């Protein structure tokens, strides 16, 4: 990691958005000029009135006490002989969260009060910049953002990280970022005291920047409750822009929503939660003059907006700019069954909307960097999008968040709570740590299905990209996490304090079964990592412990069902009966825990649980393992049947309900309408239907084992792997299925046609 050297941080002395600028004169234009810059929480940079990049929401979110990302831009082409201006605007983000009157996340009423709420990372917003110039004669000049810079109050009065902004058009400063402005009335920048400077290590940002990847025009639908309703056709994470004219001082309010109410109004009520009253507020600056509104330091989640305020006013050029840091495809999939394509579309759009500087759970309600998706959804997303650097950043966030024995929080009695050395929190970065377990529900902070991202997320990065450095970077953190997990093993040999199969529609979380299977997965993977790193003593120790976990698991959970005349896994928390769940059968099969003599029986029991339920009775933790295990044990036809059902639980049920992104749970009108956490079926599109399966890390060797669903006649899939391009095509003919496989020469390919017979 490259370290930046900022000699100073500057501020306008407040926690509100501000402008900063520096005028300077050049007698000769430099051969090369580079600026290294960071504005906390978010910033945009301009040179001579032109924005230096197509980025938004720089820098990526981090735990600012530990890591701060900076960016570097070559601004050579933007400079000219004579007067020049470097200018930046800085907003709140998570650095100093703006708690205005609009929506800010709160934990629901059924949870005990959280004594460890959000704490600002600094007293003020701040900016640091270092400019380096290199001239033709070899001379160099450098200067930094310091007290010679000037600042002014921004026209954005409030910038709320959850999506609200208040903009006062009366405070607009024309030419604030170019040399046409007389800035004599601006205030001299204040140097931030050393004790108030941000504490995190300055690190060059590696995750791709957040950018606008699509723009959707707003379509007027109707007026209801004196509010004009517009539809952008796509639920997304977006930044709103429009032109407006009206009377000076009049206030226009825009309310985004993921859905409409029965009377056609924007519905901001999250099911079983609370109103998500995000609001974009604009105060008109001049009478009868077209003015421009654009969100700058935040974004909202939604598809619709309701516009209300003092009439008359007019809007034009209403656009919603969808943003993402993962706009570049790694894979593509197309087929002639439109239902499959619509499922793929809602998953892809949910992924894009949640891949920002962190991997969020949703753009609407929480906007948190929950960790479980970084391993459970890793292969699905890695097939779909180019996200190698994303996972390196996510895993860095996870690694630096790991607890030491000194880390503590407040308990509910005013004392201190020490979670324990080695713990990996369920969010990284975590801005509102809810560290105390919820009675009857388990811990939302200390969850093996979330913390295991440091191990299993690393595993998937290595499998897809073949780079051993990711193992080297995270191996010690994984070892420490395993040692922590061992302190949580019960007398019965299980892990059972987290959330189990979270999201299970029947409430069957099967904690002992699910969480202990993940413990086994963690140990097995660490053993593989140790071999790769040539640490054979670790490999032996991990192997011994893995066998202990598996032996105990099978001794206490694998039973012979006399009624069914077969082996199966019973759920531990149903002691008086042989009770099965789909996740409880699938996880041990997936991770190779099942004795050979029982393997066929357990696979048959998995099929039975699916057929008896008539759908996926599973949460997000079990879902990827269920789908992949079904495919492995010749249940592809059943997968098709279940995902295409028109009622829940089913992927196609979301499509039939009119959703344009994937919902949070298996239900109509879910709490969040834009979650990617259940999008695991996309992985099966690539390794089940197209059959692109990894045999050696980085796709150096692959197996093509395709399957053409009965309702498809044609399918084409491409994937840009770390080792080269792969393309699969299938076409149904009268006498069978034609299969075409194309792969770059450096990829070793074996083809298994058994699923096509």
């Amino acid at each position: 990691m490259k370290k930046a050297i900022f000699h100073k941080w500057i501020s306008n002395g407040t926690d509100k958005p501000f402008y900063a600028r520096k005028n300077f004169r050049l007698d000769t234009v430099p051969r090369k000029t580079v600026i290294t810059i960071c504005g906390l929480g978010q910033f945009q940079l301009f040179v001579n009135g032109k924005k230096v990049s197509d980025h938004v929401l720089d820098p990526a979110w981090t735990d600012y006490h530990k890591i701060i990302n900076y960016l570097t831009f070559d601004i050579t082409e933007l400079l000219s002989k004579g007067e020049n201006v470097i200018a930046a605007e800085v907003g709140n983000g998570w650095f100093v969260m703006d708690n205005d009157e609009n929506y800010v996340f709160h934990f629901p009423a059924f949870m005990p009060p959280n004594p460890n709420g959000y704490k600002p990372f600094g007293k003020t917003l701040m900016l640091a910049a270092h400019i380096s110039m290199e001239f033709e004669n070899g001379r160099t000049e450098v200067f930094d953002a310091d007290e010679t810079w000037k600042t002014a109050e921004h026209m954005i009065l409030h910038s709320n990280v959850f999506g609200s902004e208040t903009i006062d058009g009366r405070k607009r400063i024309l030419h604030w970022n170019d040399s046409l402005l007389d800035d004599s009335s601006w205030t001299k920048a204040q140097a931030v005291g050393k004790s108030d400077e941000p504490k995190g290590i300055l690190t060059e940002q590696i995750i791709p920047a957040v950018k606008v990847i699509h723009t959707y025009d707003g379509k007027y639908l109707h007026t209801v409750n004196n509010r004009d309703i517009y539809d952008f056709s796509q639920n997304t994470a977006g930044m709103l822009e429009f032109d407006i004219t009206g009377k000076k001082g009049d206030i226009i309010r825009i309310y985004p929503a993921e859905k409409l109410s029965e009377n056609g109004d924007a519905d901001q009520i999250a099911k079983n939660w609370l109103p998500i009253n995000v609001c974009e507020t604009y105060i008109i600056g001049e009478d009868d003059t077209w003015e421009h509104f654009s969100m700058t330091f935040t974004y909202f989640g939604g598809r619709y907006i309701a516009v209300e305020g003092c009439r008359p006013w007019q809007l034009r050029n209403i656009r919603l700019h969808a943003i993402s840091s993962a706009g570049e495809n790694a894979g593509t999939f197309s087929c002639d069954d439109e239902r499959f394509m619509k499922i793929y579309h809602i998953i892809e759009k949910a992924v894009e909307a949640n891949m920002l500087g962190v991997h969020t759970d949703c753009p609407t309600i929480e906007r948190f960097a929950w960790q479980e998706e970084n391993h459970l959804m890793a292969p699905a997303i890695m097939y779909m999008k180019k996200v190698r650097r994303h996972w390196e950043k996510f895993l860095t966030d996870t690694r630096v968040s790991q607890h030491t024995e000194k880390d503590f929080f407040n308990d509910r009695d005013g004392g201190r709570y020490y979670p324990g050395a080695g713990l990996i929190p369920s969010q990284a970065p975590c801005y509102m740590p809810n560290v105390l377990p919820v009675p009857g529900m388990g811990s939302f902070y200390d969850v093996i299905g979330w913390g295991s991202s440091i191990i299993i997320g690393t595993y998937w990065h290595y499998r897809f990209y073949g780079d051993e450095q990711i193992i080297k970077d995270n191996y010690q953190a994984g070892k420490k996490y395993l040692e922590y997990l061992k302190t949580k093993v019960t007398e019965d040999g299980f892990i059972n304090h987290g959330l189990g199969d979270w999201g299970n529609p029947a409430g069957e979380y099967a904690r002992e079964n699910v969480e202990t299977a993940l413990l086994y997965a963690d140990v097995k993977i660490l053993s593989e990592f140790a071999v790769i790193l040539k640490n054979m003593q670790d490999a032996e120790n991990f192997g011994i412990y893995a066998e202990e976990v598996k032996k105990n698991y099978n001794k206490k959970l694998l039973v012979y069902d006399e009624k069914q005349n077969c082996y199966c896994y019973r759920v531990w928390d149903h002691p008086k009966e042989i009770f099965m769940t789909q996740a409880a059968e699938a996880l041990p099969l997936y991770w190779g825990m099942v004795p050979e003599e029982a393997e066929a029986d357990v696979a048959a029991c998995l099929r039975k649980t699916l057929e008896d339920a008539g759908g996926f009775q599973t949460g997000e933790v079990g879902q990827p393992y269920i789908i992949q295990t079904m495919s492995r044990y010749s249940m592809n036809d059943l997968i098709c049947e279940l995902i295409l059902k028109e009622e829940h639980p089913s992927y196609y049920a979301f499509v039939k309900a009119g959703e344009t992104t994937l919902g949070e749970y298996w239900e109509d009108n879910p709490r969040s309408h834009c979650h990617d956490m259940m999008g695991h079926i996309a992985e099966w599109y690539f390794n089940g239907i197209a059959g692109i399966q990894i045999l050696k890390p980085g796709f150096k060797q692959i197996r093509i084992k395709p399957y053409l669903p009965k309702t498809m006649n044609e399918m084409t899939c491409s994937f840009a792997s770390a080792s080269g391009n792969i393309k699969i095509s299938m076409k149904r003919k009268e006498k069978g299925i034609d299969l075409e496989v194309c792969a770059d020469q450096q990829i070793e390919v074996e083809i298994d046609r058994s699923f096509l017979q």
Side-chain angles (χ1 to χ4, degrees), residues 433-625:
N434 194 13
V435 302
L436 302 175
V438 178
M441 296 190 71
S443 177
F444 284 81
Y445 187 81
D446 176 9
V447 198
I448 187 173
W450 280 239
S452 289
S453 182
I454 194 63
I455 298 171
I456 309 178
T458 299
Y459 169 81
W460 283 119
H461 187 286
Y462 176 63
R463 294 290 291 168
F464 268 76
Y465 305 117
D467 185 357
E468 292 182 9
Q469 186 62 46
I470 201 72
I471 298 174
K472 296 173 183 176
D473 289 344
N474 296 291
Y475 181 70
Q476 292 301 324
K479 284 182 63 177
K480 291 176 185 176
Y481 184 52
L482 176 60
E483 290 306 307
Y484 171 79
L485 289 175
K486 288 180 179 179
T487 70
K488 294 292 184 177
V489 174
T490 67
E491 291 183 0
D492 292 306
F494 298 125
I495 297 285
N496 71 347
H497 65 283
L499 301 176
D501 187 22
W502 180 249
N504 186 291
E508 295 293 348
Y509 301 123
R511 287 185 177 90
E512 287 83 359
N513 297 64
V514 169
E515 296 185 2
T516 311
L518 290 175
L519 172 64
Y520 177 79
D522 286 346
V523 184
K524 284 290 290 182
I525 291 170
L526 283 173
S527 180
E528 292 179 25
F529 288 172
V531 172
I532 292 167
L533 299 179
K534 297 181 173 57
N535 189 332
M536 304 317 294
Q537 186 60 61
D538 274 3
E540 181 181 352
N541 293 340
F542 291 140
I544 292 170
Y545 186 57
E547 285 303 308
E548 290 177 5
V549 173
K550 180 168 71 171
K551 183 178 179 180
N552 181 72
Y553 193 92
N554 288 329
K555 178 181 178 181
K556 295 177 179 176
L557 296 176
L558 182 63
V559 297
Y560 191 83
D561 186 348
E562 298 288 349
K563 292 182 179 179
Q564 304 295 330
N565 195 31
C566 67
Y567 285 100
C568 66
Y569 283 91
R570 70 183 184 93
V571 174
W572 178 256
D573 60 9
H574 287 256
K576 297 182 179 179
E577 59 180 330
I578 296 179
F579 185 86
M580 296 183 291
T581 71
Q582 296 166 11
E585 307 308 310
L587 265 81
L589 281 168
Y590 182 92
W591 287 113
M593 301 177 74
V594 186
E596 183 178 355
E597 66 272 15
E599 188 176 349
D601 281 1
V602 176
C605 286
L606 172 60
R607 175 184 284 274
K608 185 176 188 305
T609 61
L610 289 153
E611 291 174 341
D612 287 351
F616 294 117
Q617 284 285 355
T618 177
E620 62 167 324
V621 180
Q623 183 75 8
Y625 301 116

Side-chain angles (χ1 to χ4, degrees), residues 701-720:
Q701 181 183 5
I702 62 173
R703 175 188 297 118
I704 302 299
K705 190 175 183 179
Y707 157 78
L708 191 64
K710 296 176 181 178
T711 59
M712 285 186 198
N713 293 309
E714 297 182 9
M715 187 285 307
T716 300
C717 177
S718 68
F719 177 58

